[in-house]
Amino acid sequence: MRRRIAVVGSGPAGLTFARVMHRHGHPVAVLERDPVPDARPPGGTLDLHEGLGQLALDKAGLLAEFQALSRPEGQAMRILDTAGTVLRDWRPRPDDRANPEIDRGQLRDLLLGPLDVQWGRGVTQVVPGARDGVLVHFADGRQETFDLVVGADGAWSRVRPAVSPVTPQYTGVTSVETSLDDVDIRHPDLARLIGDGSVAVYGVNRSLVAQRNSGGHVKVYTRFRAPLDWHTNLDLADVEAVRSSLLALFDGWAAPVLDLVRHGTAFVHRPFYVLPVSHTWAHVVGVTLLGDAAHLMPPLGAGANLAMLEGAELAESIATGPGPLEEAVRAFEERMWARAGRWAKITTAGLERLVSPDPAEALALFDHVHPS
C-alpha cells in the first residue's frame, strides 16, 4: 500500500524533499500556509555549496538547470573598514563553481517544477500516535492523517512540538534589512562599491553587508548587538524613523557605506534566533524535521544548504531503501544530527566573530575561508 507522506512548508527543504520523492515516483502532499507562491517576498540570494545544496539538486536531477540560472561571479567578496578603505577584494576564478549564487525566488521556481503544492493549508498542530497514523490539524478546522509528516516549516515550526519542547532563543544579534533596485542605473557609485558579489564592513559590535542579487537588485543587511526590545521607542513601520535610527547607530562610518542605508526603500527587522547547538529528540514514530525546524542556526550560508541536502537524503532513503519507513527515518535523523551539530558550532562561532567587539576577528575569519 502506498505510504501517505506530507511535508509541511514549501521552502528549500520541503520542496527538495518533495522533488526527489517525485523523481522516484512517490507522491508527497506539500502543505503550505501561504495562499500563493509569491504571497511574501522570497528573500535574497543563496550560495549553494558543491557538497551540500548542489549535491541536493543533483539528487533531484536539477543541477544543470541550476548551473544555467546561477551566478558564479556572485561569489566575489570585498571587505572595507569603517572609513571605506578596501582591506580585501576577493574574486572567484572564471571556472569556480564552489558556491555560486542564486536568487531565492529562482530556486523556489526551479524546485516547484511539476509539484502540486497545496497552497493555503496552514498547519496548526501535528499529533502522532493516532489510530490511523499522524493526525494533522489545519487552520480551517479540517484534519487529515498521514504515515509520515516531515516538518520543514522553519524557525517557528508547528511540527516541532510533536517531537521536541525546545523553542528558538535570541542570539543578542539583530539584523535590519533594506534593499536597492536598479542599482546599476540609479546608484552607479554604489554598484561599483558592491561589485559583482558582496561588500562587507565590520565595526565594533556591528556590521553592514550589501549583496547583489540578479536584475540589479541589492539586499543590504545591517547587523548589531542589542537587546531584543531595542526598538521599543521606534515605530518599525516608519521608514524614515528606522533609517534615522540606523544612520545614528552607524554614525562616523564612511559616507558611501552609509549611502547603502540612505537609499534603502523599506526596512525589515530580523532578530537572529537559534536552537541549541546539539538539538536532538527521542525518535517519534511518523514525524521528523528538516532544516531550520530541526537545527536553526545563525544565517551564515549553511542553513539552506543543509536543509536541501537533508530533504534529498531523507527522500532517497525512503524511496530507494529496502527497509521499513521508520528505520529509514530513524537512521536519517542520526546522520542529520551529527552533521548539523558540526555546522551549528561553526556558524555560532562565526557569528561571534562577525559581530564582535574586535572587527579584526571578522577579517581573520574571512582570511581563513579565503586564504590568499
Side-chain angles (χ1 to χ4, degrees), residues 142-293:
R142 287 184 290 173
Q143 301 176 359
E144 195 169 346
T145 55
F146 297 91
D147 300 307
L148 175 66
V149 176
V150 179
D153 50 341
W156 305 102
S157 170
R158 295 300 182 95
V159 181
R160 188 191 300 122
V163 300
S164 170
V166 175
T167 57
Q169 300 298 309
Y170 179 51
T171 61
V173 175
T174 278
S175 176
V176 179
E177 168 192 319
T178 189
S179 56
L180 309 173
D181 290 313
D182 298 322
V183 67
D184 298 288
I185 296 171
R186 300 174 61 185
H187 308 290
D189 291 343
L190 294 182
R192 286 188 290 271
L193 179 73
I194 298 162
D196 290 332
S198 301
V199 61
V201 190
Y202 299 102
V204 176
N205 285 328
R206 65 206 62 192
S207 68
L208 187 150
V209 178
Q211 189 170 38
R212 186 180 283 271
N213 292 224
S214 63
H217 186 73
V218 169
K219 290 288 187 183
V220 180
Y221 307 93
T222 62
R223 295 169 179 169
F224 49 92
R225 294 195 176 274
L228 189 55
D229 62 355
W230 68 275
H231 55 85
T232 299
N233 297 317
L234 177 66
D235 180 1
L236 292 174
D238 185 335
V239 172
E240 293 310 317
V242 175
R243 191 192 318 277
S244 296
S245 178
L246 291 176
L247 290 173
L249 188 64
F250 290 83
D251 184 44
W253 288 33
V257 173
L258 295 184
D259 281 345
L260 292 164
V261 175
R262 290 192 181 99
H263 295 297
T265 53
F267 295 91
V268 182
H269 180 222
R270 300 190 191 280
F272 289 172
Y273 286 85
V274 294
L275 288 170
V277 165
S278 298
H279 179 230
T280 62
W281 55 89
H283 176 74
V284 174
V285 175
V287 185
T288 193
L289 305 173
L290 301 175
D292 287 350

Side-chain angles (χ1 to χ4, degrees), residues 73-126:
E73 71 279 5
Q75 299 171 90
M77 186 71 178
R78 183 175 293 151
I79 309 292
L80 312 181
D81 64 17
T82 58
T85 303
V86 177
L87 303 176
R88 301 289 187 273
D89 194 357
W90 184 85
R91 303 180 189 187
R93 301 183 311 275
D95 61 343
D96 188 342
R97 302 200 67 89
N99 306 291
E101 299 281 342
I102 185 170
D103 289 9
R104 282 180 177 268
Q106 292 175 323
L107 178 63
R108 176 201 61 202
D109 293 344
L110 175 63
L111 289 168
L112 275 172
L115 297 178
D116 184 16
V117 176
Q118 297 181 30
W119 301 102
R121 298 211 71 192
V123 170
T124 58
Q125 187 181 17
V126 171

